[in-house]
Amino acid sequence: MNISAEPCLFDLPVVHDLRGNLSFAQKGILPFEVERVYWIYDVPGCETHAGPALRRTTEILVALSGSFTVETTDATGQTRTFTLNRSYKALLLPPMTWRQLSDFSTNAVALVIASEAYDPDDYIRSSESFISGSK
């Protein structure tokens, strides 16, 4: 899979089994070598998890449990909305994509797979800085 210039959904492999399905991610399936993995959980249903945008890092979001909405804005100002509610659906976020996560269902878990290790200088933490820096 190539890294898209814009946010896009793609399917992870699914192994169907009567005992329960299994999905996975590994080298050759993901469009980059994994440098970091983290997850977001226990988000109250009424809360929004806004930002950040990352200058160099590509990320993949997966709803491991439950569901949530992701609104993205790219450097041109184009906005897209995605609903993640299946654990085999992945959302690719290229660098310079502002994202806002909302509408978390009860017990939702958002898995984030990143192409780069944590670097605070990679982060654009305010939407105002992102918008002004993208122009």
Side-chain angles (χ1 to χ4, degrees), residues 1 8-14 22-25 30 60-68 70 82-92 109-113:
M1 171 183 195
C8 63
L9 288 171
F10 67 96
D11 288 350
L12 295 170
V14 179
L22 178 141
S23 288
F24 60 93
L30 300 178
I60 295 171
L61 274 66
V62 178
L64 288 184
S65 177
S67 64
F68 54 91
V70 183
F82 302 90
T83 299
L84 293 177
N85 58 9
R86 304 295 298 174
S87 57
Y88 61 86
K89 286 286 184 190
L91 175 61
L92 179 76
V109 178
L111 176 72
V112 185
I113 303 168

Side-chain angles (χ1 to χ4, degrees), residues 3-75:
I3 295 179
S4 173
E6 56 190 42
C8 63
L9 288 171
F10 67 96
D11 288 350
L12 295 170
V14 179
V15 178
H16 297 280
D17 191 295
L18 294 175
R19 300 168 294 168
N21 298 331
L22 178 141
S23 288
F24 60 93
Q26 65 185 27
K27 186 176 181 178
I29 291 172
L30 300 178
F32 55 78
E33 300 250 349
V34 177
E35 290 294 324
R36 179 172 50 129
V37 176
Y38 62 95
W39 45 99
I40 302 166
Y41 59 97
D42 290 344
V43 178
C46 60
E47 290 297 320
T48 297
H49 193 283
L54 299 166
R55 291 178 176 89
R56 298 177 304 278
T57 302
T58 299
E59 291 186 322
I60 295 171
L61 274 66
V62 178
L64 288 184
S65 177
S67 64
F68 54 91
T69 300
V70 183
E71 183 178 294
T72 65
T73 305
D74 65 21

